[in-house]
Amino acid sequence: MLPHSYAVDSLSRSQDLASAILASTTPSQISATCASIDFFLQSHSPDQSRHFFSITFPVLICKLFGFDDASSLPPPPPSQKPPSNGWVELASQSSLPDLSSKIFSLLSPNGTLMNSISAVDRHSLVKYVFPVERLPEWVRFMLSNEKYFRVISDLCPFFKGKVKEDAVQGSLCQIQLNVFEYYLFWFAYYPVCKGNSENLDSNSVKRSSKFRLENWTRSIRGFSGSSKREMEQKFEGNLYIQLLYAYLRAFVPIFDLGAHQPYRSSILNYSLKCDGSVIVRAELLVNVFVHYWLVDNDFSPLPVNVCKSFGVSFPFRSMLGEIPPTSGLGEVVKLFVKYLNLSSVMSTDGFDNIECNESPRWRVSGGFDSADLVSLSPSVCSVGSWNSWIQRPLYRFILRTFLFSPVGTSMKNTSQVFSVWVSYMEPWTISLDDFAELDVVINGSSKDVRNHETESQNSGYSPVWQAFVLSNFLYYSSLFMHFIGFAHKFLHTDPEVIAQMVLKVISLLTSSKELVDLIKNVDVVFHSKQAVSSKSALNSLYRIVPSIREQLKDWEDGLCESDADGSFLHENWNKDLKLFSDGEDGGQRLLQLFILRAEAELQGGDIAHAHSLQIIDSLKEKVSYLFGGSTMKPIPISPELRQPQHTRDELFKPRRVGNQTSANVTYKGDWMKRPISDVEVAWLAKLLIWLSSWLNESLGLDGPEDNDVGSKWFYVNIPGDAVNLNGSGEIVKTLVCLIGSWLLMMGTTTTRLMRKHGLRINLRVLASKKVVMVLLIFVVFSALKKACGLFH
């Protein structure tokens, strides 16, 4: 037990530090406060630091990340932007490297603060209650329901032992965390909070827990002039990125997870340098980042088979709706995914440059010690240790961005997510040199950075990457098909940039003949029946088909283009891989159509640049190489298929006519399934589309006219006995039956005529903002008139 004088001194100094932190706003004050915190922690034992972590540490988190309050109070209204003057943001925006260095030294994984956190957690001296309002959205929904929060520990092991019932209000639950977990949750929440606040400022996407309303003002379309430069912003210029990389490098090993679980294989592989706590912390870090950044508001946050095994089905689709992921996360997600993909690089490249030292990080060196190599688990997964942890959440993160990004929004966030996707699909281009400049920031020198003498590690795809491609095959096939639909949908925003994005993906897929052959062979095996082929290479691929089918069903659970988004899959959900399909919704036909549209858009612009035309030529060449034969393959149109093909051409009609942008070019495809425009109320349009579709299906207006219908007459046999109408009641009943029969006959005749001429019910016109505004004004005027009448 601490003496009273020491306890009073620790308490008073902790309170003084908290006041100093709150008052630190200038770079000089922040640097002085960081030095005071470091001195306090060095001069106090873990027991004496209890007051610091109880009183000062929450205040420090507030100032670091610019939060209003780190307590469990609910977040401020969406209209109030969180303060942006946090220390991390200030250090990233200012041109003061000393300030950034001071804050990085304070929060460094090897700094005094982290060492004190480890010591306090080792003795379980401090526990925090993390506010439920700051958790990922799907976790908040689970914790708000007593039926679900009792199984969250089983569904998500990293919540095990952290969900407790509120001692004051027994019906509620709370998340109790130690100091490191508390800091890690706030660290992961910071970019989400920042992205939401920037999203509200831009007015591009209105977020809600149940539905999303369209912006009633027209958004400015197109890219900003500096979007390309911002997309290529270097990682090392951002303090948060530097801290993220430092934590990943210190706490997440990039080699086999079994290396830190010594009792998994044999006691002979036990090493005192690597214990089980390393893997626990690494899994916690990866899980927190995955659920905050990739999953968050996904209505299918967990694998379908996991939910079925626990007998749990979540109504997240109706609660979260078709909401895209939080914007602004592309930069941090790219670094996170790129670092974890290093485990795949190491599993294919071996451990020639890896050592396991006192900290579970990788270190670059010229050679290795055999004793250290023996301590590593000999069984290294050919796909990589961390890849399976991010496959499904990353796939859904990218796909939800492509599907749910509204028309008219900025392409900056989508471009960042696209960069994440491309980086993930080519891990063979990743090397330790990609993190060289970040290593310089962390180490203070470049002595540990590997030279460029690592010959052809990133030369391109080779057969050693076959296991990676097969386990992530949907990224190379199905997701590419969804991206083509996205490209058709957003081509009018900036044709040149969208065409460059499509060219980038096709160039990746055709970068190696071995990769093209592998993708084609898997597609052939996927669509063929189980049989013995003459090619041994195909026989070895049959075993992965069930896995791909299961992934396709699980990873795309509930994700499909809706009837109102204008995508090419609105009638046929991608239950099958269609990249090499010969149908009109196959990859080759859709890419041909995209090239035609892009060429028309680029040539119809104000200036047809030579670079733009070169992109089109490159696209034709790559598509020809991918599918073989001529790029613009003639599409045969039979008489019975002429009308559907005409509808397809009109669906993707270029938005420009001649050298001008035509404002009166109407949509001549299926008007019910055109993209929602800025002059409509989105949620009302979707409701009316569903109602119209239900009426058309109920009345049989979707199918062709049956020639037999109407050719038969129905007769009613009248009994021979005379019927006397006595009384007015009988007369009224007869008149009602007569009028009902007449209305029924008129309805039947109208329906028959509509079916004959191919007409359908369309209530979508009522979703126009003008119509809604007129109805709203009429209702308000009527209410005011009635109120004034009652008053007089």
Side-chain angles (χ1 to χ4, degrees), residues 5 206 212 246 316 329 357 467 487 502 523-524 581 615 690 700 771:
S5 59
K206 299 285 186 177
R212 182 180 72 247
F316 292 144
L329 297 178
N357 50 15
V502 176
D523 188 86
V524 170
S581 174
I615 294 175
W690 173 84
V771 176

Side-chain angles (χ1 to χ4, degrees), residues 166-352:
D166 195 339
V168 179
Q169 300 178 357
S171 59
L172 300 178
C173 61
Q174 54 186 215
I175 302 296
Q176 296 184 6
L177 307 174
N178 60 27
V179 182
F180 178 77
E181 295 166 346
Y182 187 71
Y183 172 76
L184 181 62
F185 274 56
W186 283 115
F187 182 82
Y189 173 71
Y190 168 69
V192 178
C193 179
K194 183 180 177 182
N196 288 337
S197 62
E198 292 177 352
N199 197 23
L200 290 170
D201 285 345
S202 63
N203 251 351
S204 59
V205 180
K206 299 285 186 177
R207 293 187 51 163
S208 174
S209 60
K210 297 200 175 185
F211 55 86
R212 182 180 72 247
L213 291 176
E214 278 281 323
N215 189 8
W216 282 69
T217 59
R218 183 180 297 273
S219 302
I220 300 176
R221 295 177 178 177
F223 292 97
S224 60
S226 60
S227 61
K228 185 176 181 180
R229 178 178 57 84
E230 292 174 356
M231 187 173 61
E232 297 175 353
Q233 181 183 10
K234 292 184 178 180
F235 285 157
E236 64 274 11
N238 190 321
L239 178 58
Y240 185 87
I241 291 293
Q242 296 172 7
L243 290 170
L244 172 61
Y245 176 70
Y247 297 148
L248 290 173
R249 181 181 172 186
F251 302 132
V252 181
I254 60 171
F255 37 86
D256 185 35
L257 301 184
H260 301 288
Q261 295 178 335
Y263 295 109
R264 173 176 289 182
S265 56
S266 171
I267 194 171
L268 298 178
N269 288 331
Y270 179 78
S271 172
L272 294 177
K273 299 178 182 178
C274 304
D275 54 28
S277 62
V278 171
I279 192 61
V280 173
R281 176 168 289 190
E283 291 179 352
L284 172 67
L285 205 77
V286 173
N287 269 314
V288 170
F289 290 159
V290 164
H291 284 278
Y292 262 105
W293 298 342
L294 302 182
V295 181
D296 190 20
N297 56 1
D298 190 354
F299 52 79
S300 179
L302 302 173
V304 176
N305 57 350
V306 173
C307 297
K308 287 184 178 179
S309 63
F310 286 94
V312 178
S313 60
F314 304 119
F316 292 144
R317 181 68 183 266
S318 59
M319 296 179 181
L320 296 177
E322 296 179 351
I323 303 176
T326 303
S327 61
L329 297 178
E331 191 175 345
V332 294
V333 170
K334 183 175 181 179
L335 176 61
F336 176 59
V337 172
K338 197 172 185 179
Y339 180 87
L340 294 185
N341 261 356
L342 276 174
S343 61
S344 300
V345 176
M346 295 307 159
S347 65
T348 58
D349 194 42
F351 293 97
D352 295 345

Side-chain angles (χ1 to χ4, degrees), residues 68-79:
D68 288 330
D69 189 5
S71 66
S72 59
L73 295 177
S79 59

